[in-house]
Structures are given as structure tokens and as C-alpha cells.
Amino acid sequence: MAAVNVCQQCGACCAAFRVSFHVSELESEGGMVPDRLADEETHSTRRMRGTDYARPRCIALVGKIGESVSCGIYRERPSPCREFGARTDLGVFEPACNKARSIHGLAPLLIS
Ligand code: SF4
Ligand code: SF4
């Protein structure tokens, strides 16, 4: 890929929304998400630590939002993170993306 993916210069959604997933995605339950980075939400769900804080920021997010970020557990990230994304080059766009970007003062993305 010639250009840097827009998400690698953003990260807003990792610091805007609660990230909840089924307990079966935990490493200890046969999934891949490291247990140490998740908090119990309900009997059957867990959430990425930090995503329900008053000023949310996932504990796995590395870098500075709006400049350069990465997911510290990219290969092991939970399903909501795999399903959420912006690929404007492919016309794939999550509407909540721009909501997250606006929370962090970032300009909206446009699908061409
Ligand atoms: S999906 Fe949207 S809000 Fe999330 S990192 Fe990518 S551009 Fe930013
Ligand atoms: S696990 Fe990774 S992709 Fe998911 S919210 Fe946290 S930093 Fe973002």
C-alpha cells in the first residue's frame, strides 16, 4: 500500500466507544484477546479496558490520536474492532467513524 492507511493516522474510534465482546473471544476461553486487557462487563461479555471511562481510550491503543497510532493487539483484537473500520478506497465506511473523529476534532472522511 503506497499511502498510510487513514486509520493509522487517526485512532479516534479506539477512544470514543465502549468495546464489548463475547467472553469466548478471551485467550483463556480459546479466543485471542489477552485476558489482562479486558474487564468483566456481564456474565457473558467483556470489554476492552479503558473504553468505558469518562474519557475513553482503549488500553491497547498506542500512539497519539490524529497523528500516528496502532493497535497493540492488532492480530488479537476482538470482533467489534475487526468489523469497524474505514476503507474509503474500497467504499467501505462505518458511519460512526466520523462521529468518533468529530469527538477528537478530526475532519470527517468522505467517500468518493
Ligand atoms: S475507523 Fe474511522 S475513527 Fe476509527 S481509526 Fe479509522 S478513520 Fe479513525
Ligand atoms: S483493541 Fe485495538 S482496535 Fe480495538 S479498540 Fe483497542 S486499540 Fe482499538
Side-chain angles (χ1 to χ4, degrees):
M1 185 163 52
V4 174
N5 185 299
V6 66
C7 295
Q8 293 175 306
Q9 297 177 324
C10 178
C13 57
C14 305
F17 307 123
R18 185 173 298 190
V19 178
S20 304
F21 54 93
H22 193 263
V23 67
S24 62
E25 294 190 50
L26 285 178
E27 202 171 14
S28 62
E29 300 290 332
M32 295 191 295
V33 181
D35 291 57
R36 70 183 187 283
L37 303 183
D39 292 323
E40 183 170 352
E41 187 172 66
T42 70
H43 176 70
S44 60
T45 63
R46 299 294 182 271
R47 88 172 66 89
M48 290 305 299
R49 184 166 301 146
T51 62
D52 65 329
Y53 293 177
R55 298 183 66 179
R57 179 179 170 118
C58 178
I59 191 172
L61 183 63
V62 178
K64 187 169 182 181
I65 293 169
E67 293 188 8
S68 177
V69 295
S70 63
C71 173
I73 57 165
Y74 187 76
R75 292 169 65 93
E76 294 83 32
R77 69 199 190 286
S79 54
C81 307
R82 297 175 183 277
E83 293 159 8
F84 191 103
R87 286 293 306 276
T88 53
D89 55 328
L90 298 179
V92 176
F93 184 67
E94 172 65 48
C97 166
N98 278 339
K99 181 179 179 186
R101 289 177 61 86
S102 72
I103 289 171
H104 291 276
L106 301 172
L109 297 180
L110 302 172
I111 295 279
S112 56

